[in-house]
Amino acid sequence: MKQRRLFLKAGAMAAAAGLLAGRVQAVPAQPLPFRWKNWSEVQQCQARSLATPADEEALADLLRNAAGTVRCVGAGHSFTPLVPTNDTIVCLERLNGVLSHDKAAMTATLRGGTRLSMVSRQLDSLGVALRNLPDIDMQSLAGAISTGTHGTGANIQAMHAEVTALRLLTPQGEVVDWDQERHPEQMAAARVSLGSLGVITQATMRVVPSFSLHRKVWLRPVGEILEQAGELSAKHRHFEFYYLPFTGYAAAIAHDEYKGSEVLVPHSQDEEMLSDLRKLRDWLGRFPDLRRWTAGKLIDPNLTEEAKNRSWKLLSTVRPTRFNETEYHVPREAGIACVREVIAALEKRNEVFFPMEFRFVKGDDAWLSPFYKRDSCSIAVHAAHGEDYDYLLSDLGPIFRKHGGRPHWGKLHNLGAKELAALYPRWNDFLALRQQMDPKGRMLNRHLRSLFGVA
């Protein structure tokens, strides 16, 4: 095992993200049954049919006539059971692309089924970009908005906060156009709706002129990074860090705007680093002190890594290694105390080897946004595919809740309607609008009925 190899994996993790395998093909409605599973294979169902409407008219007809529950699927990267139903699954992959770009207003209107990788490429060809991106580029736009998907940046909001207008098809197949100026309450509800108000077919979003970023990655003892995290988040446009379990080190990652023309793309060795961390666990998992000592000998803390490229090429990529994940968002002032407890809890379990991610997100006003009315720190913990992940809920959930954490809607959690209502001041307002939009609960599967307390 080489020092450089182990370090590079951690460094390159700034751009790491999920490869969404098993993506639904854009084909006509399938005969029953249709077997669906999410990216990590922890959520599965056997639906009556899969529908891939080619346009809004076909989608409206489907909504009017489909029997039972209708749920939308994007990339299948949510770890919670937002999609599973025994009835109809709808894929919007054929409703994709940039519809228009308003240069004066600096907005772009995009179809809901567009993958984020396509969004970025098409916007870049127009000379514009999204202000921020999550670290997974295969998600659908509608899915990313609906679950509160985010990137990192102490002064940058999550993606849904950039939405200025939405077109939804209601469960009755009617077209509804909402915008921030005329429908502020509806927009506050629809920006993060878990697909429960209808199907998002279009979103108008604020954009900025295309820009490049300069990424810097460095290793430091985790205690040092924790002490400096607040200062670093204020200094850099984007800042995050990954803690490498049982090594004592964290990889700090900063992105700042870059005006030059040089493109610098170091070779990514992300998978090799994960493999090295797994081998350390497999060989020395029963001897945590020896595992830390060995890691200390393999890691060179003086090595750094840099990259320069278009913003979207550095902020979002793919991650081929599968995992299951929990993520909570705690108030900014509680972030460091919470992550210290999370690290301590993780290192009571010798089987842990996946890096833990810590990010910053600015608050917004969407009713079901995990960042509603508060600046937050996001803490994400992963368990390797095929390995036990129950501890993500049993061991870490109480820590997150102790610090006022709100769960990521697409990541594993076990909170129900009562707990969630206490975390979201506009919870009942959202439920009232949901009831108005979908009185028969046709967009609700078992999971959403449990979340919303609907019989």
Side-chain angles (χ1 to χ4, degrees), residues 140-204:
S140 69
L141 179 68
I145 291 169
S146 297
T147 54
T149 299
H150 63 96
T152 188
N155 296 307
I156 305 177
Q157 297 173 316
M159 281 187 61
H160 59 263
E162 301 292 346
V163 177
T164 62
L166 285 171
R167 171 172 289 182
L168 293 91
L169 265 64
T170 72
Q172 298 76 37
E174 300 171 352
V175 176
V176 174
D177 287 301
W178 288 336
D179 64 70
Q180 183 59 35
E181 182 176 347
R182 294 178 298 169
H183 313 94
E185 295 280 283
Q186 290 91 334
M187 287 293 293
R191 282 194 179 100
V192 181
S193 66
L194 312 184
S196 67
L197 302 181
V199 181
I200 296 175
T201 61
Q202 296 181 25
T204 299

Side-chain angles (χ1 to χ4, degrees), residues 110-360:
L110 309 109
R111 288 191 172 99
T114 316
R115 298 300 176 106
L116 295 186
S117 57
M118 184 185 294
V119 168
S120 295
R121 285 171 171 80
Q122 293 189 0
L123 290 181
D124 195 41
S125 70
L126 298 172
V128 296
L130 294 179
R131 191 182 311 275
N132 200 4
L133 286 165
D135 57 5
I136 297 168
D137 71 357
M138 290 300 291
Q139 295 178 80
S140 69
L141 179 68
I145 291 169
S146 297
T147 54
T149 299
H150 63 96
T152 188
N155 296 307
I156 305 177
Q157 297 173 316
M159 281 187 61
H160 59 263
E162 301 292 346
V163 177
T164 62
L166 285 171
R167 171 172 289 182
L168 293 91
L169 265 64
T170 72
Q172 298 76 37
E174 300 171 352
V175 176
V176 174
D177 287 301
W178 288 336
D179 64 70
Q180 183 59 35
E181 182 176 347
R182 294 178 298 169
H183 313 94
E185 295 280 283
Q186 290 91 334
M187 287 293 293
R191 282 194 179 100
V192 181
S193 66
L194 312 184
S196 67
L197 302 181
V199 181
I200 296 175
T201 61
Q202 296 181 25
T204 299
M205 303 184 68
R206 286 184 287 265
V207 294
V208 298
S210 295
F211 63 100
S212 295
L213 290 173
H214 181 188
R215 180 174 73 212
K216 295 182 180 179
V217 186
W218 65 99
L219 283 177
R220 288 292 184 274
V222 64
E224 182 178 326
I225 294 296
L226 292 176
E227 291 294 331
Q228 298 175 356
E231 177 184 347
L232 291 168
S233 71
K235 178 180 178 181
H236 298 285
R237 190 182 197 273
H238 309 270
F239 174 77
E240 62 187 310
F241 69 82
Y242 285 84
Y243 175 62
L244 311 181
F246 293 96
T247 70
Y249 281 91
I253 304 157
H255 289 84
D256 290 294
E257 288 199 46
Y258 170 65
K259 300 298 184 182
S261 58
E262 180 186 11
V263 174
L264 178 62
V265 185
H267 175 65
S268 173
Q269 299 189 43
D270 289 357
E271 294 306 298
E272 287 86 348
M273 188 282 277
L274 269 182
S275 177
D276 289 343
L277 290 176
R278 185 192 290 264
K279 287 175 182 176
L280 278 175
R281 186 278 307 269
D282 293 345
W283 295 341
L284 302 172
R286 292 183 299 162
F287 312 100
D289 290 339
L290 180 58
R291 184 176 168 187
R292 290 188 184 90
W293 181 87
T294 303
K297 294 297 182 180
L298 293 171
I299 293 174
D300 182 353
N302 295 315
L303 289 174
T304 60
E305 180 179 289
E306 296 187 50
K308 298 175 181 178
N309 214 327
R310 282 299 211 195
S311 59
W312 56 275
K313 292 185 177 182
L314 293 184
L315 294 177
S316 284
T317 84
V318 297
R319 185 185 300 170
T321 296
R322 301 190 189 209
F323 51 82
N324 287 299
E325 180 182 0
T326 188
E327 182 176 31
Y328 273 73
H329 314 290
V330 300
R332 182 79 54 88
E333 59 273 15
I336 299 302
C338 182
V339 79
R340 289 184 188 275
E341 292 189 41
V342 169
I343 290 173
L346 284 176
E347 297 202 334
K348 292 179 181 178
R349 306 187 64 93
N350 291 338
E351 74 272 24
V352 170
F353 73 92
F354 240 99
M356 180 216 69
E357 185 178 19
F358 187 96
R359 292 180 282 180
F360 295 83

Side-chain angles (χ1 to χ4, degrees), residues 26-32 34 48-53 62 88-89 94:
V27 296
Q30 301 295 307
L32 67 98
F34 171 72
R48 179 181 293 114
S49 65
L50 164 69
T52 58
L62 169 71
T88 302
I89 293 177
R94 299 171 73 183

Side-chain angles (χ1 to χ4, degrees), residues 98 108 160 205 292 335 348 363 369 374 381 442:
V98 176
H160 59 263
M205 303 184 68
R292 290 188 184 90
K348 292 179 181 178
S369 168
R374 73 184 194 193
V381 186
R442 297 185 63 238

Side-chain angles (χ1 to χ4, degrees), residues 378-390:
S378 297
I379 304 170
V381 186
H382 313 73
H385 175 264
E387 298 190 3
D388 174 49
Y389 61 86
D390 289 346

